[in-house]
Amino acid sequence: MPQARVAVPDKALRTLVSDLFTAHGVSREHAETVADVLVWANLRGVDSHGVSRIPRYLELFENGQANPRPNIVVDVLRPAVAILDADAAPGPVALTRAMDEAVSMARSAGAAWVAVRGTVHTGAIGYYTERAAQYGMAGMGIVAGVPNMAYPGSDSAAVATSPLSVAVPAGRHPTVLLDMATAVIALGRIAQLKAQGKQLPEGAAITRDGRVTTDPAEAAIPLPVGGAKGAGMSLLFEMLAGGLTGNPIVTGYHSGEPEGRRHRQNALLMAIDIAAFAPVEEFRGIVDDTVDAIKALPKADPDAEILVPGERGAHTLDERSASGVPLPRKLVDELARLAADKGVTVPQEMA
Amino acid sequence: MPQARVAVPDKALRTLVSDLFTAHGVSREHAETVADVLVWANLRGVDSHGVSRIPRYLELFENGQANPRPNIVVDVLRPAVAILDADAAPGPVALTRAMDEAVSMARSAGAAWVAVRGTVHTGAIGYYTERAAQYGMAGMGIVAGVPNMAYPGSDSAAVATSPLSVAVPAGRHPTVLLDMATAVIALGRIAQLKAQGKQLPEGAAITRDGRVTTDPAEAAIPLPVGGAKGAGMSLLFEMLAGGLTGNPIVTGYHSGEPEGRRHRQNALLMAIDIAAFAPVEEFRGIVDDTVDAIKALPKADPDAEILVPGERGAHTLDERSASGVPLPRKLVDELARLAADKGVTVPQEMA
């Protein structure tokens, strides 16, 4: 049965998130960054990475796995590479800072990679690569985390559903924005389908004991997209992010030590300054023309629109900016309870 | 019926390739590079990207789409980015040079991207990323080419099967090397299965008129891996490589002009100098430990080995370095004929 939903204006939602995080000791600046990243995901329809994550974020503060007052240190190693020690900062805080550093370094070096060591849940990484695109740059990002996905030959939580995101700025069209898990289906999406009473697609996930299932209630371990391809990407992302930061996750997880299962993530964000290669307007023109060529492809179903990456999210953003973010009643109530616990005022639109 | 095979020592094969290319006007240095790249693919078992491509390469010289005496120009734009104008050089020549530039620039900048404009068939791009790993760096590469793969919503040749490769150096273990098409199956692999009289896996390709098939004889258009994921990667690779080089391919292809269907490719290669982040030995240790953790995962089938990316290729390289590259008799005869046409001596192992 579909749940009742409450349409909350994005501005009110951002205010609530920011107030909730400051009430947990996060600085106003960092709290506003977290609010921006989470509400951005909701606005674009990626509800699995939006404010539904707040209870978990706050739990990470409470059990000491996330740090509300992190001492973030950026070490510029060479003109095009830096490492950001996140000190267990919430992912949105660490990764927004990292992408801003990458953009700033790319202005002089032409491109830059910033490795992020030891953050917690990064949110939708499309936020950071789209941020590079807003500066007229191409953005790329990968994240590596605690194993939760199968690997060819092993029906266990072997590697993470580590995402890849690439964004390029367009002109007439919205930013072309790919943001994909290396799994057939993300864990957040499984939870969403469960809440909606829907089935999983075939071949998307297995149960805890390795049985293929389409029931989201018993689906525990997503399968890698394309088998060895998705698993290989995830493994290489782990080796790059964990190796460059000296903070591997997969080895610790499989070592059997409880500490190895602690929630943590590493990331690598990259910006390429398009202006080093050509006038940005020419690049935007090529992206626009390519989008037009794709949308004009012969259609398998004449009534179905052909979409480019990020297009559906951009449409949803327009709709939800106008009419609010539709949140399940249950989530609104949970956020209201978390707010009440800390004496935070809930926006009247959510009452 | 499996074809008769001839085991050719890699050294003899390299000599033949190099002699064949010099006979077509390629410099000895460039011819040896082409030989290295093609024979490397054969040694690693990627026969779809090895010497079987030679007839096609020579045809590209003859019809003027490839240039045997290219004027390759590298323009270093900023410390971490360069553009290489390939002047229609064979892919192995252009991309080997591009990766060497990226490695050299990464030594001072920490990382570098080199965009390759207007080359022809790049061969197996794992060769170039593994080359970065041999210098103790992490390598990444993408290639964009002429559309030959379907796109969600269109059962036509919409985008290319553009590959992604990532390589990281290990210590005890071989380089971990991911080299994957964004299609479920590469076109070269379809041709191989056809030659072997085998069927395609389900959901890998469609016929010219959009029908799903497992018959390699009628399979014409591979499907993207993971649907929107593989198609999205391919499209973003095209926008990055075509946009940064000012040489888009997808738009020209769909414009309907015959010139737009001409074979050509762009690429982006990247090197990250691991030593900028940490001692390379520590990085290698993390990669080794991660490989060990994956290989020790609980197995779905107790008798099956769990593999990491590049591992099978490294085993095959050992075997074939010792016992020769097994080539179909038909291919050996074709190479011998091409050699005879130009008065090139065929190594006695192939006679």
Side-chain angles (χ1 to χ4, degrees):
Chain A
M1 193 184 70
Q3 293 183 20
R5 286 178 179 264
V6 184
V8 183
D10 60 298
K11 192 161 169 247
L13 197 53
R14 255 188 233 102
T15 301
L16 174 66
V17 178
S18 178
D19 288 352
L20 258 175
F21 277 72
T22 53
H24 280 79
V26 175
S27 71
R28 177 60 64 181
E29 185 198 345
H30 285 178
E32 285 179 353
T33 298
V34 173
D36 254 3
V37 173
L38 296 182
V39 175
W40 179 90
N42 283 120
L43 281 172
R44 292 185 63 95
V46 192
D47 293 314
S48 58
H49 286 64
V51 297
S52 63
R53 296 289 181 138
I54 288 178
R56 173 73 177 138
Y57 272 64
L58 301 182
E59 185 186 306
L60 289 171
F61 287 137
E62 275 154 20
N63 67 20
Q65 295 189 33
N67 184 354
R69 290 279 174 175
N71 178 27
I72 294 176
V73 178
V74 178
D75 193 359
V76 176
L77 305 164
R78 291 193 201 157
V81 293
I83 192 162
L84 180 149
D85 195 310
D87 192 23
V93 171
L95 269 70
T96 299
R97 173 78 186 278
M99 184 50 94
D100 286 353
E101 291 286 341
V103 165
S104 160
M105 293 169 72
R107 283 206 202 292
S108 45
W113 281 101
V114 177
V116 176
R117 178 198 290 133
T119 185
V120 295
H121 192 269
T122 60
I125 64 163
Y127 178 89
Y128 316 104
T129 60
E130 200 217 21
R131 195 171 172 93
Q134 285 173 359
Y135 288 105
M137 297 196 182
M140 187 181 294
I142 59 175
V143 172
V146 175
N148 55 5
M149 179 171 86
Y151 189 93
S154 185
D155 294 336
S156 66
V159 290
T161 56
S162 307
L164 164 71
S165 178
V166 184
V168 292
R172 300 186 298 280
H173 293 293
T175 295
V176 181
L177 173 58
L178 178 74
D179 184 357
M180 54 174 266
T182 46
V184 175
I185 191 166
L187 275 171
R189 180 78 185 130
I190 294 177
Q192 236 182 355
L193 291 172
K194 185 177 162 195
Q196 295 167 359
K198 294 184 185 164
Q199 292 293 100
L200 303 184
E202 295 279 340
I206 54 178
T207 61
R208 187 61 60 194
D209 55 356
R211 202 164 27 82
V212 174
T213 184
T214 58
D215 175 359
E218 55 168 27
I221 304 175
L223 293 170
V225 64
K229 293 183 183 192
M233 282 195 277
S234 172
L235 185 61
L236 265 299
F237 295 171
E238 161 66 14
M239 288 171 171
L240 278 174
L244 294 176
T245 59
N247 187 36
I249 296 176
V250 163
T251 52
Y253 181 86
H254 294 297
S255 70
E257 289 171 27
E259 178 65 4
R261 306 219 158 195
R262 186 171 51 84
H263 171 74
R264 60 205 190 285
Q265 298 191 337
N266 298 309
L268 264 181
L269 297 181
M270 190 271 304
I272 298 180
D273 191 2
I274 292 160
F277 290 84
V280 178
E281 291 315 307
E282 284 178 20
F283 184 95
R284 291 183 193 275
I286 289 173
V287 171
D288 280 341
D289 292 346
T290 308
V291 170
D292 289 338
I294 295 298
K295 296 195 67 72
L297 286 170
K299 291 179 183 180
D301 170 359
D303 297 329
E305 195 181 357
I306 295 177
L307 296 173
V308 296
E311 186 177 357
R312 186 182 284 123
H315 288 324
T316 306
L317 182 136
D318 287 344
E319 284 165 23
R320 294 189 173 183
S321 295
S323 57
V325 174
L327 295 180
R329 181 79 250 172
K330 193 175 149 195
L331 175 58
V332 169
D333 291 346
E334 187 173 10
L335 294 176
R337 191 181 49 72
L338 289 168
D341 285 351
K342 291 285 181 176
V344 168
T345 308
V346 173
Q348 70 181 69
E349 294 90 338
M350 291 176 65
Chain B
M1 194 184 71
Q3 294 182 19
R5 288 178 177 262
V6 184
V8 183
D10 60 300
K11 193 162 166 244
L13 197 53
R14 255 187 232 104
T15 302
L16 174 65
V17 178
S18 178
D19 289 352
L20 257 176
F21 276 72
T22 53
H24 279 79
V26 175
S27 72
R28 178 61 65 182
E29 186 198 345
H30 285 179
E32 285 180 352
T33 299
V34 173
D36 254 3
V37 173
L38 296 182
V39 176
W40 179 90
N42 282 121
L43 281 171
R44 294 184 62 96
V46 191
D47 294 314
S48 58
H49 287 64
V51 297
S52 63
R53 296 289 181 138
I54 288 178
R56 174 73 176 139
Y57 272 65
L58 301 183
E59 186 187 305
L60 289 173
F61 288 136
E62 276 154 19
N63 67 21
Q65 295 188 33
N67 184 355
R69 289 281 174 174
N71 178 29
I72 294 177
V73 178
V74 177
D75 192 358
V76 176
L77 306 165
R78 291 194 202 157
V81 293
I83 190 160
L84 181 149
D85 194 312
D87 192 24
V93 172
L95 269 70
T96 299
R97 173 78 185 279
M99 185 50 95
D100 287 353
E101 291 287 340
V103 164
S104 160
M105 293 169 72
R107 282 206 201 296
S108 44
W113 282 100
V114 178
V116 176
R117 177 198 291 133
T119 185
V120 294
H121 193 268
T122 59
I125 63 164
Y127 178 89
Y128 316 104
T129 59
E130 199 216 22
R131 196 171 172 92
Q134 284 172 1
Y135 289 104
M137 297 196 182
M140 188 181 294
I142 61 175
V143 172
V146 175
N148 56 3
M149 178 171 85
Y151 189 93
S154 184
D155 294 336
S156 66
V159 291
T161 56
S162 308
L164 164 72
S165 178
V166 183
V168 293
R172 300 186 299 279
H173 293 294
T175 294
V176 181
L177 173 59
L178 177 74
D179 183 356
M180 55 173 264
T182 45
V184 175
I185 190 166
L187 275 171
R189 180 78 185 131
I190 293 177
Q192 238 182 354
L193 291 172
K194 185 179 163 196
Q196 294 168 359
K198 293 184 184 163
Q199 293 292 101
L200 304 183
E202 296 278 342
I206 54 178
T207 61
R208 187 61 60 195
D209 55 356
R211 203 162 27 81
V212 174
T213 183
T214 58
D215 176 358
E218 52 167 28
I221 304 174
L223 294 170
V225 65
K229 293 184 183 193
M233 281 196 278
S234 172
L235 185 62
L236 265 300
F237 295 171
E238 160 66 14
M239 288 172 172
L240 277 174
L244 294 176
T245 59
N247 187 37
I249 296 174
V250 163
T251 52
Y253 181 86
H254 294 297
S255 70
E257 290 171 25
E259 177 66 3
R261 306 219 158 195
R262 186 171 51 83
H263 171 73
R264 61 204 189 284
Q265 298 191 337
N266 299 308
L268 265 180
L269 297 181
M270 190 271 303
I272 297 180
D273 191 2
I274 292 161
F277 290 85
V280 178
E281 292 315 308
E282 284 179 20
F283 184 95
R284 290 182 194 277
I286 288 174
V287 171
D288 281 341
D289 292 347
T290 308
V291 170
D292 289 338
I294 294 298
K295 295 195 69 72
L297 285 169
K299 291 179 182 179
D301 169 358
D303 297 329
E305 195 181 356
I306 295 176
L307 297 173
V308 297
E311 185 177 0
R312 184 183 285 124
H315 288 324
T316 306
L317 182 136
D318 288 345
E319 283 166 24
R320 294 189 173 183
S321 297
S323 58
V325 174
L327 296 180
R329 181 79 250 172
K330 193 175 150 194
L331 175 59
V332 169
D333 292 345
E334 187 173 13
L335 295 176
R337 189 181 51 72
L338 290 168
D341 286 351
K342 292 282 182 178
V344 167
T345 309
V346 173
Q348 69 182 70
E349 293 92 338
M350 290 176 65

